[in-house]
C-alpha cells in the first residue's frame, strides 16, 4: 500500500511541478528515482542507468525520425508562407459568418497534413483574431476553437494522420496509420460536430463583442504567400504518399533480411507504419522546397536548422516521460496497479485499455507520453488479451490513440499553456471551453468508440 501511495505522489508531483513550469528533463528522472528510494529503498543508480536511460534511449531511437521530419516539415510550411496561406484561404472562403468553423477547419487541414500543432496555433491565431473581431465573436473562444481543430480529431481519430499519437501504437500491435478507418471517422465526426455545436452555443450565450483587448497583431514578414493550391499540395502529398507506401510500395519489398540480428530480428509488420510516415514526410518536404524554392532559397539552411532544433525538446520531454514510466513499472507496487487496470471492464480489454491509457495521459499531461508509458508497461498484455478475446489489433490501435486525446488536455498540458499564452488569455478566462472541446467531448467519443468496437468489431 505504501508503494502505491508513493507512485500516486510521484505522478501528482510530476503533474503539479510541470504545471509550474519545471523542466520534464529534470523532473522525470528525479521523481522516478525518488519513487524508487521511498517505495523500496532500491538501487537508485541502477534504476537510472539501466531502467530510466534504457527506456528513454529506446524511445528516441525508435521515434526520432518522426519528430525530426515532422518538425522540419512544419517549419518549411511556416517559412514558405504555406501555413498562413492555407489558414487564410479556408477562413476567407467560408466568410465571417462561419468564423468558428473556418478556424476549426484551417487548423484541421494543417494538422492532418502533418504540421505541428504548435506551428498551427501560431499561424492561425492572428487570422482568427481578425476574423473573430470582424464577426463580433468573443475572443475568449479562440483558444477552444484552435484546440478543437488541432488537438482532437486530427490528432487521434482520423485514419492516416501522421501525428505521433497515431504512430506510437503501430510497432506494439503491428498496425498501420489507417487502423480501423471507419471507427476513426465516426469518432472524428463526433468530436468535430459536438465541439462546433458547443462553440456556436457559447458564442450565442456570451453575446456579440470581441471583448476588451488591444488590437492583436496580424503582421507578416512581407513575403508573398504561395497560391492556395501550391500551399495545399505538400499536405495532400503527405496523406497520399503515406497511403501509397503503406499499402502498395512497402508490401512488395523484399524485407526478409529484417530477421537477421543486425536488423533487430524483426519483421515488416512492426516497421511498415513508421517507414511509411518517414518516406511520406521526406518526399513531401522535398516537394515543398521545390514548389517554394524562390520563397525559401535565401534562408533554407536556417529554416532546416530551426526545424531540426524544434524536434529536440518535444522528443526528449516525451522520452523522459517514457523513462519515468519504465522506472515506475519496475516497482513491485506497480504490479498491483497493473493487475487492477487489466481487470477494469471485466472480459472486455478495450475498456481496460481505454481507462489505463486515458489516466496515464492525464497524469503526465501528454498524449504521446501517457500512451508510451501505457504501451511500454502493458502493451504486450493488451495485445495478448485482445488476441484471446478475438479483438482486431487495428481496433486496439484506434482505442489507444483516441484514449490519449482527452485527459491529456488538462490544465498542465504544455500545448494548452502555450495556446493560452499565444492568445493572451488566462486559464480562468478561456480554459473552461478548452476543457469541453478537448477533454469532455473526446472522452465521450472514446466511450462511443469502445461501445461500437465491442458490438461491431473493427471496420
Amino acid at each position: 500500500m505504501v508503494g502505491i501511495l508513493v507512485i500516486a505522489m510521484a505522478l501528482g508531483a510530476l503533474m503539479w511541478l510541470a504545471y509550474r513550469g519545471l523542466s520534464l528533463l529534470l523532473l522525470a528522472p528525479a521523481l522516478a528515482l525518488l519513487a524508487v528510494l521511498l517505495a523500496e529503498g532500491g538501487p537508485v543508480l541502477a534504476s537510472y542507468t539501466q531502467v530510466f536511460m534504457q527506456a528513454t534511449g529506446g524511445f528516441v531511437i525508435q521515434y526520432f525520425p518522426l519528430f525530426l521530419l515532422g518538425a522540419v516539415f512544419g517549419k518549411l510550411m511556416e517559412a514558405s508562407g504555406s501555413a498562413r496561406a492555407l489558414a487564410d484561404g479556408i477562413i476567407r472562403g467560408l466568410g465571417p459568418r462561419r468564423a468558428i468553423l473556418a478556424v476549426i477547419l484551417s487548423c484541421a487541414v494543417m494538422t492532418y497534413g502533418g504540421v505541428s500543432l504548435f506551428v498551427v496555433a501560431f499561424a492561425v491565431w492572428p487570422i482568427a483574431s481578425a476574423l473573430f473581431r470582424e464577426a463580433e465573436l468573443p475572443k475568449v473562444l479562440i483558444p477552444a476553437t484552435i484546440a478543437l481543430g488541432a488537438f482532437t480529431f486530427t490528432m487521434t481519430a482520423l485514419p492516416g494522420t501522421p501525428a505521433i499519437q497515431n504512430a506510437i501504437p503501430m510497432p506494439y500491435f503491428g498496425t498501420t496509420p489507417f487502423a480501423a478507418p471507419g471507427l476513426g471517422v465516426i469518432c472524428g465526426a463526433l468530436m468535430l460536430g459536438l465541439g462546433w455545436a458547443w462553440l456556436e452555443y457559447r458564442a450565442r450565450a456570451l453575446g456579440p463583442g470581441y471583448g476588451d483587448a488591444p488590437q492583436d497583431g496580424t503582421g507578416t514578414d512581407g513575403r508573398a504567400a504561395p497560391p492556395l493550391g501550391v500551399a495545399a499540395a505538400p499536405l495532400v502529398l503527405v496523406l497520399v504518399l503515406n497511403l501509397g507506401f503503406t499499402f502498395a510500395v512497402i508490401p512488395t519489398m523484399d524485407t526478409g533480411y529484417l530477421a537477421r540480428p543486425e536488423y533487430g530480428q524483426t519483421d515488416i509488420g512492426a516497421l511498415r507504419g513508421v517507414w511509411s510516415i518517414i518516406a511520406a514526410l521526406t518526399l513531401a518536404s522535398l516537394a515543398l522546397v521545390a514548389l517554394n524554392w524562390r520563397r525559401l532559397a535565401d534562408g533554407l539552411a536556417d529554416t532546416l536548422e530551426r526545424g531540426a532544433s524544434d524536434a529536440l525538446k518535444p522528443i526528449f520531454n516525451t522520452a523522459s516521460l517514457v523513462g519515468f514510466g519504465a522506472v515506475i513499472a519496475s516497482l513491485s507496487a506497480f504490479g498491483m496497479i497493473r493487475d487492477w487496470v487489466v481487470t477494469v471492464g471485466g472480459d472486455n480489454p478495450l475498456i481496460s485499455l481505454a481507462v489505463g491509457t486515458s489516466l496515464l495521459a492525464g497524469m503526465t499531461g501528454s498524449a504521446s507520453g501517457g500512451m508510451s508509458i501505457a504501451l511500454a508497461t502493458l502493451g504486450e498484455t493488451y495485445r495478448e488479451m485482445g488476441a484471446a478475446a478475438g479483438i482486431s489489433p487495428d481496433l486496439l490501435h484506434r482505442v489507444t490513440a483516441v484514449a490519449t486525446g482527452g485527459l491529456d488536455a488538462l490544465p498542465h498540458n504544455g500545448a494548452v499553456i502555450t495556446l493560452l499564452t499565444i492568445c493572451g488569455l488566462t486559464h480562468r478566462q478561456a480554459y473552461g471551453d478548452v476543457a469541453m472541446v478537448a477533454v469532455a467531448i473526446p472522452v465521450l467519443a472514446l466511450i462511443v468508440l469502445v461501445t461500437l468496437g465491442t458490438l461491431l468489431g473493427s471496420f
Side-chain angles (χ1 to χ4, degrees), residues 198-233:
W198 171 260
L199 292 171
E200 294 286 358
Y201 160 74
R202 287 285 292 150
R204 292 192 298 271
L206 292 171
Y210 184 76
D212 295 330
Q215 181 72 33
D216 300 304
T218 59
T220 66
D221 60 4
R223 181 181 300 164
L228 186 59
V230 173

Side-chain angles (χ1 to χ4, degrees), residues 1-11 39 331-337:
M1 192 64 186
V2 173
I4 294 177
L5 181 61
V6 167
I7 291 174
M9 291 175 60
L11 287 169
L331 301 178
S332 58
F334 185 82
M336 292 183 282
I337 299 175

